[in-house]
Amino acid sequence: MTPQTLTSHTLARDCAAIRIPSGESITLSAGTSVYLTQSLGGTFTVQAPTLGGLFRIAGSDADALGLEAAAGAAEAGPAAASGPVNEAAVWELLRTVYDPEIPVNIVDLGLVYDLRILPAAAAGERVEVKMTLTAPGCGMGGAIAADAQAKIASVPGVAEAEVQVVWDPPWSAEMMTPEGKRLLGIA
């Protein structure tokens, strides 16, 4: 894994954020100095020394950091519910969802336990995902699951998307893909 270069930014405006790892919603004030630690999957992880911690900022707030919106940062709306859902497309979008503290996507981390495509109540199909987190006490589970759900909902043919966080079986590093292990320097 290559060392990350932290870049300094001063927030140009107030912006919503999520405190890591508690998952608490907070507003970061304009003028706050932050260091960008991760920009993956359309979100930003920043360190705010004066506030004592890490925060996740949505890609739609990139301008507050003086940046362009990251790829995948657009707010996903419901996709047109026509034709069969391409399962490979769902897996590819799940590979753009990241834990804000770990630079590996949730698929390669081995967090996605199950993916099912079923008929929806109306037109289109329903995608159900069961996933876990690396630690049961992580408050970011809701935010990570919401990212996954929004991205799944953007796939053509998906009428309904549900992402459920489960704890059985408990996650372990053995569940990571070879790519995930390589990215973290484990293998």
Side-chain angles (χ1 to χ4, degrees), residues 97-110:
V97 178
Y98 289 81
D99 180 307
E101 295 179 283
I102 305 171
V104 178
N105 68 70
I106 64 173
V107 173
D108 287 328
L109 276 173

Side-chain angles (χ1 to χ4, degrees), residues 87-120:
E87 184 175 342
V90 175
W91 281 107
E92 281 308 306
L93 279 177
L94 288 174
R95 281 187 168 83
T96 68
V97 178
Y98 289 81
D99 180 307
E101 295 179 283
I102 305 171
V104 178
N105 68 70
I106 64 173
V107 173
D108 287 328
L109 276 173
L111 300 181
V112 179
Y113 285 173
D114 188 37
L115 185 150
R116 295 175 191 245
I117 300 173
L118 308 164

Side-chain angles (χ1 to χ4, degrees), residues 61-87:
D61 287 320
D63 64 306
L65 292 163
L67 301 171
E68 296 289 323
E75 296 299 320
S82 62
V85 172
N86 180 332
E87 184 175 342

